[in-house]
Amino acid sequence: MKLQQFFLLLSIIVLLLQLSCDMSTEPDETSPAPIVAIYPSSDYMNFPDSIRAIYDGTKTPLILKSILLPYNCPVSFAIANVGPEGSILNYTIADDGALGGFLDYTNGEGSLNAGSTSTITVSVDPSFTDSSFGGLVGSTLVLNIYTPKASNYVKTFVSIDIRNFNDEVQQLCGIWSGIWSGISGGAEGATSPVSGTWILNLQSVDWANQTASGSLTWNGSDTYWNPGPHAYIVDRTLIFNNFNAELNGNSPCDAVWLHIAGNKAPYSEELGVVVDPYGPDFHLDFSPGFGSITAGTQSCWSTLWSDPSGANIGYSGGLLYGSKSQ
């Protein structure tokens, strides 16, 4: 063997040994695999595992509530890493389906540590918000979600329905019912609890003119004061229409509320008890999906009363609770 060949061979052996040493000291991939979950909201991360699993869109395809045109009411969902501590979930979102290119969305890619979430807000590209464009209303669009390192899914999807607000708001029509409760105020700060039931028969909704029509039945026990509290039984049905009803919302995407101005329609006196009572003044706040009532002070009522002599006039008010029953 020539000397040059010897040194060349020796160099190759040294290089191979060095590479072998480098490979042996390189750390293995020890990070645990992430686990992707998709929820209608990041709030689901606060629920027990058994409850969260029911709403996990990686197990059952997630269909979001509708984007309502022409208001372009956005919808959202959450991507979460529910994997073990130390795992990192890398994800990307693409509007690359058969009907791709119509949607805008936030947080289209990211990295999530274990227990972290990212909220994705979805809307229609402003170029396509005209409800007549290409028949977009009535379509179901899809966002594809890629999570190549997740142990459970490499690709999943979220479906979004495109609907017309003026059509969807008609879901409010029907029978709504529930309870009312609150207090009646007397002299020197005295109060008395009052309560009862209500039934709203919402027969028509006219969003273009921001009104509605139907009937409101109001039953229960209110109070008048002379000077102490005196209970009286109320049983009245109020007809409402464009004269005394307003259907509106600061933003249709947030909620729609119905205001029935009971003080525009005086009732005959409750026999021997209350002279010319007014009410109820009725405020019902519907959820954005039109299927429930928003909890809190948005849904409320009030009545005006006077004692038989008309000398003492007072006020009752409180909150409304209920749901759609038919």
Side-chain angles (χ1 to χ4, degrees):
M1 178 181 293
K2 295 182 179 181
L3 186 61
Q4 290 178 334
Q5 293 176 324
F6 173 80
F7 282 112
L8 178 60
L9 180 59
L10 182 61
S11 299
I12 292 174
I13 293 173
V14 171
L15 179 61
L16 290 174
L17 288 174
Q18 181 64 40
L19 289 174
S20 176
C21 180
D22 290 344
M23 292 176 64
S24 65
T25 57
E26 183 178 348
D28 296 332
E29 182 61 51
T30 58
S31 298
I35 302 174
V36 62
I38 300 175
Y39 302 120
S41 166
S42 60
D43 294 339
Y44 286 86
M45 286 293 287
N46 300 321
F47 293 178
D49 292 346
S50 58
I51 301 297
R52 289 208 320 257
I54 298 173
Y55 298 95
D56 186 349
T58 61
K59 295 178 169 59
T60 301
L62 178 62
I63 301 177
L64 296 182
K65 64 183 181 182
S66 304
I67 293 178
L68 301 177
L69 298 180
Y71 299 99
N72 204 8
C73 300
V75 295
S76 61
F77 64 97
I79 296 177
N81 179 7
V82 295
E85 192 69 29
S87 63
I88 298 176
L89 175 70
N90 295 316
Y91 74 87
T92 57
I93 300 173
D95 182 16
D96 56 1
L99 288 176
F102 294 112
L103 298 175
D104 289 341
Y105 48 90
T106 63
N107 299 326
E109 60 181 3
S111 297
L112 299 173
N113 295 325
S116 298
T117 64
S118 179
T119 297
I120 290 79
T121 301
V122 188
S123 59
V124 173
D125 187 292
S127 302
F128 311 123
T129 54
D130 184 345
S131 61
S132 64
F133 179 85
L136 192 57
V137 167
S139 301
T140 298
L141 306 182
V142 172
L143 287 178
N144 289 316
I145 301 170
Y146 300 91
T147 55
K149 295 295 182 66
S151 62
N152 54 336
Y153 277 84
V154 173
K155 172 186 172 183
T156 188
F157 62 88
V158 172
S159 299
I160 302 104
D161 291 335
I162 311 298
R163 297 290 182 263
N164 183 284
F165 181 91
N166 295 331
D167 295 335
E168 294 300 296
V169 76
Q170 298 301 319
Q171 296 181 51
L172 293 177
C173 291
I175 307 297
W176 299 74
S177 59
I179 61 173
W180 55 271
S181 62
I183 59 171
S184 178
E188 299 180 354
T191 61
S192 177
V194 294
S195 62
T197 62
W198 58 270
I199 300 175
L200 177 73
N201 183 357
L202 192 51
Q203 296 172 351
S204 69
V205 169
D206 184 353
W207 182 254
N209 294 302
Q210 296 192 321
T211 189
S213 64
S215 63
L216 172 64
T217 300
W218 192 256
N219 296 106
S221 178
D222 209 334
T223 301
Y224 75 92
W225 299 75
N226 185 20
H230 299 272
Y232 69 87
I233 302 302
V234 288
D235 180 5
R236 59 186 67 155
T237 297
L238 167 64
I239 303 300
F240 61 90
N241 48 41
N242 61 345
F243 169 73
N244 59 348
E246 181 183 9
L247 188 72
N248 208 329
N250 294 328
S251 168
C253 298
D254 296 329
V256 172
W257 49 261
L258 173 66
H259 174 212
I260 300 173
N263 57 355
K264 283 189 176 182
Y267 298 87
S268 58
E269 62 182 279
E270 308 289 345
L271 295 177
V273 180
V274 178
V275 176
D276 197 22
Y278 289 81
D281 199 58
F282 189 86
H283 292 260
L284 203 59
D285 201 72
F286 299 102
S287 67
F290 314 122
S292 62
I293 296 170
T294 304
T297 57
Q298 295 93 335
S299 295
C300 57
W301 64 274
S302 64
T303 57
L304 296 173
W305 49 260
S306 63
D307 65 17
S309 69
N312 299 292
I313 299 176
Y315 170 90
S316 300
L319 300 180
L320 298 165
Y321 306 91
S323 60
K324 191 173 185 179
S325 53
Q326 293 182 33

